Amino acid sequence: MNIERFELEFWLNPLDDKAKYNFGSSCCKPVTVSEMLDLTGTDQEAFFREIESMSLHYGYFEGMPRLKQAIAGLYTQAVTPEMVLCVHGGTGANSIVCQALCEPGNNVVCILPSYQQHYSIPEALGCEVRIFNCGAGEEYSVDLNKVRAMVDQNTKMICLTNPGNPTGYTFTKAELEELTDMARETGAYIVSDEIYRGLSTEYMYSICDLYEKGIVTSSTSKVFSSAGTRVGWIVTRDLSIKDALMNLRSYNSICEGPINELIAAIILEKKEIFYERNRKIVEEAREILHQWLKGQPHLRLACNSMGPTSYIYYDFDIPAQQFAEDLLARKDVLVCQGGCFQQDKSFRIGYGFGDVEYFKSGLARLGEYLAELEQ
């Protein structure tokens, strides 16, 4: 398949361990197995006895029942375990959904900036991709009237990340309902990558709560501090597409590892503990970022974030990749350059790592770099 290079992964992965101040990650502070057991109040001896007795044969083909129940519990009562399919990570979820639904003759409406899978995979599969770019104007905004104008009878799906990657923008219930109305008019699906969902003090509405043809993709990677489990999921109330999803999953990974699914189930059963832990981490760091930005006249925050990252535009006449490369070379600070998200003169900054002094020191280095650009 001829597909565009995955810019974010090609940018971040080779540099992940190269910077003293790594603000590229979008995960909340990861836990060790021991920390996970302590946080959730799980009996360690019982946990390891269960693992010792596990068969190393194939796992559950739709996902461990305990895990599917825990995933369903992340949403309202509209979602049941039958509507959950466990897959290999959030990237596996996005890939499977796109491959199951997209084909030549369809179009896909994608709200940018977003995660590249949502537009590059449909394009590679022969779909027309229609882009609404929230970052194209002076101020970041989601103009749903312009999105509606892109939707027609050939629209297979509307794709978004909620909260946004990279911006952290969170759609209100009213905005999700408006998107639902426009999708329902033509029978389009709404695919919502909700991997950053859950860090608000209020319930964050999911597309699968509100729309019978809503499809959620997510995983334990970000707000559940366990990217290494590679446990993801697809949720949809439209069971008519379940066979297609299962078929693509069979080509993709067959099943997931039962040890990983057990860990994920324990974490999701205690979701509020992880929400509270990671909410505190990101809120403290985000406030530090906001205060620091008050002294940076050349930077503009895209929007208020409800995730572990924020997105920043700058007014220097320097391309995004060059800005990030120079920042890394001169100040040992790594950020995600805007080209990873089809944006110019901008970058994503992550702050979910849980070390305030580290973050302040890195911001000071970033401030030094900006001051040098003024000279």
Side-chain angles (χ1 to χ4, degrees), residues 162 171-180 205-207 210:
N162 185 37
F171 288 81
T172 65
K173 183 183 180 185
E175 287 175 324
L176 291 175
E177 288 173 336
E178 187 171 346
L179 283 166
T180 293
Y205 276 90
S206 166
I207 198 62
L210 303 172

Side-chain angles (χ1 to χ4, degrees), residues 62-77:
E62 291 193 21
M64 180 181 286
R66 178 180 175 182
L67 175 59
K68 286 161 60 75
Q69 184 70 49
I71 293 169
L74 300 175
Y75 311 99
T76 63
Q77 292 181 350

Side-chain angles (χ1 to χ4, degrees), residues 22-77:
N22 185 348
F23 298 162
S25 174
S26 61
C27 296
C28 293
K29 184 179 180 181
V31 291
T32 64
V33 173
S34 178
E35 288 170 335
M36 178 273 294
L37 296 173
D38 287 342
L39 278 170
T40 59
T42 302
D43 183 279
Q44 292 200 20
E45 289 188 9
F47 171 77
F48 288 111
R49 281 199 305 270
E50 183 169 356
I51 290 177
E52 286 174 350
S53 65
M54 277 186 177
S55 169
L56 294 182
H57 190 53
Y58 288 107
Y60 301 87
F61 294 109
E62 291 193 21
M64 180 181 286
R66 178 180 175 182
L67 175 59
K68 286 161 60 75
Q69 184 70 49
I71 293 169
L74 300 175
Y75 311 99
T76 63
Q77 292 181 350

Side-chain angles (χ1 to χ4, degrees), residues 256-273:
E256 307 314 308
I259 296 175
N260 290 350
E261 289 197 328
L262 173 62
I263 292 172
I266 293 170
I267 290 172
L268 296 184
E269 287 168 352
K270 300 293 185 179
K271 59 183 183 294
E272 295 300 335
I273 292 172

Side-chain angles (χ1 to χ4, degrees), residues 116-186:
Q116 189 174 340
Q117 284 186 297
H118 297 294
Y119 48 93
S120 287
I121 296 177
E123 182 179 51
L125 293 171
C127 283
E128 175 194 358
V129 178
R130 300 174 178 180
I131 298 294
F132 172 75
N133 191 350
C134 300
E138 287 299 315
E139 298 296 333
Y140 183 95
S141 63
V142 182
D143 189 330
L144 293 181
N145 287 326
K146 291 183 178 179
V147 175
R148 182 184 292 272
M150 296 180 177
V151 178
D152 61 25
Q153 295 300 320
N154 291 322
T155 301
K156 191 68 175 187
M157 59 189 190
I158 303 169
C159 295
L160 57 140
T161 54
N162 185 37
N165 181 11
T167 62
Y169 180 87
T170 302
F171 288 81
T172 65
K173 183 183 180 185
E175 287 175 324
L176 291 175
E177 288 173 336
E178 187 171 346
L179 283 166
T180 293
D181 288 343
M182 68 177 76
R184 189 177 282 124
E185 288 175 4
T186 61

Side-chain angles (χ1 to χ4, degrees), residues 110-114 131-143 146-147 150 166-167 300-303 311-314 338 341-346:
C110 193
I111 300 174
L112 261 61
S114 187
I131 298 294
F132 172 75
N133 191 350
C134 300
E138 287 299 315
E139 298 296 333
Y140 183 95
S141 63
V142 182
D143 189 330
K146 291 183 178 179
V147 175
M150 296 180 177
T167 62
R300 173 174 59 85
L301 191 66
C303 60
Y311 202 68
I312 296 171
Y313 293 91
Y314 58 82
F341 308 100
Q342 304 294 306
Q343 308 295 301
D344 196 16
K345 296 183 180 180
S346 56

Side-chain angles (χ1 to χ4, degrees), residues 185-251:
E185 288 175 4
T186 61
Y189 290 93
I190 299 179
V191 178
S192 181
D193 182 334
E194 297 177 356
I195 202 167
Y196 298 102
R197 174 178 172 267
L199 294 181
S200 172
T201 54
E202 299 179 352
Y203 181 77
M204 299 175 74
Y205 276 90
S206 166
I207 198 62
C208 65
D209 294 327
L210 303 172
Y211 184 35
E212 63 278 5
K213 294 187 74 172
I215 301 174
V216 166
T217 61
S218 192
S219 84
T220 60
S221 293
K222 308 302 181 180
V223 303
F224 296 111
S225 301
S226 51
T229 64
R230 307 311 302 141
V231 172
W233 56 88
I234 301 166
V235 179
T236 181
R237 289 155 54 189
D238 182 4
L239 297 181
S240 71
I241 63 170
K242 190 170 183 180
D243 279 352
L245 296 173
M246 283 289 294
N247 186 42
L248 265 298
R249 183 180 181 278
S250 297
Y251 278 103

Side-chain angles (χ1 to χ4, degrees), residues 314 318-327 347 366 369-370 373:
Y314 58 82
I318 304 173
Q321 183 168 336
Q322 181 183 338
F323 178 97
E325 287 175 346
D326 289 350
L327 174 62
F347 60 91
L366 176 53
Y369 174 66
L370 297 173
L373 292 179

